[in-house]
Amino acid sequence: MNDGLMCYSNEKWSDIVNTFGLMQSITAPTKFTKNSSTIHVIDHIYTNNTRHAVRAFTSSSALSDHYPVCLLRSMNFHISKDSKNTVIKYRSFKTFNGNNFRSDLLCSGLENVETVTDPNAALYLFYNILNGVLSKHAPIKEKRIKRTHQPGWFNNDIIMINN
Amino acid sequence: MWLEISSAKCKPFLLNFIYRPPNSKQNWVDLNDALFLEILILIAL
């Protein structure tokens, strides 16, 4: 809203603000005049729920003689439980060495699979041996990841400002 | 200008932009007050 803090002392405006339970968030100057050192806070942002107002600020980049006023509002306050962070499992190939893996696989007794007549048992043995060697060279790790679907507006610019 | 921001997983909220022209008269506050009440009544209905 464009107004002046001087006008804020206006009784009528003050009544409106109090009646609707509004809180003025902008405290930094929003307009400088060249001919005087006076600073003005004449662009306001009011909210009736400060719990959702994460941060209010002004930007020094302006296209006019007013600085833009900004308010970050939390949007995920009531997001349901299905959007919380999750834990995934993955194989870490960070220290994987192909030659060592092949060498261990040769000594693992994988050829014994051919002697098993029951196909299900043979497959079980094959997986058991292969995964055993693989887990030695590429261990399974757990990692907590953020929500898979971030809101569309939560882009790199917002992340940079938030930090 | 009034906007209602709705999201599937968030309680909707109202966003209002107001510009007070520098040469506006005192009754601008009264008009704005009446508009606020009008909007709130519409929402309540």
Side-chain angles (χ1 to χ4, degrees), chain B residues 18-34:
Chain B
I18 304 173
Y19 175 71
R20 186 184 70 84
N23 58 351
S24 60
K25 296 179 180 175
Q26 188 68 23
N27 68 342
W28 179 90
V29 177
D30 297 324
L31 293 170
N32 192 53
D33 190 18

Side-chain angles (χ1 to χ4, degrees), chain A residues 5 9 19 32 40 49 53 67 81 114 118 138 140 149 151 156:
Chain A
L5 272 185
S9 61
T19 301
F32 285 91
H40 303 280
N49 194 337
Y67 292 146
K81 291 177 183 175
E114 295 176 4
D118 181 7
I140 294 174
H149 299 290
N156 290 334

Side-chain angles (χ1 to χ4, degrees), chain A residues 1-4 7 10 12-13 16 19-20 22 73-80 82-83, chain B residues 5 7 9-11 13 16-21 26-30 32-33 36-37 40:
Chain A
M1 179 196 169
N2 175 270
D3 201 311
C7 292
N10 179 306
K12 282 187 175 179
W13 181 246
I16 293 176
T19 301
F20 294 104
L22 302 175
R73 186 197 188 277
S74 64
M75 287 288 289
N76 57 352
F77 197 78
H78 293 291
I79 282 180
S80 59
D82 63 319
S83 297
Chain B
I5 309 295
S7 175
K9 295 176 180 176
C10 188
K11 193 177 176 183
F13 63 93
N16 176 30
F17 298 92
I18 304 173
Y19 175 71
R20 186 184 70 84
Q26 188 68 23
N27 68 342
W28 179 90
V29 177
D30 297 324
N32 192 53
D33 190 18
F36 256 81
L37 284 172
L40 288 177

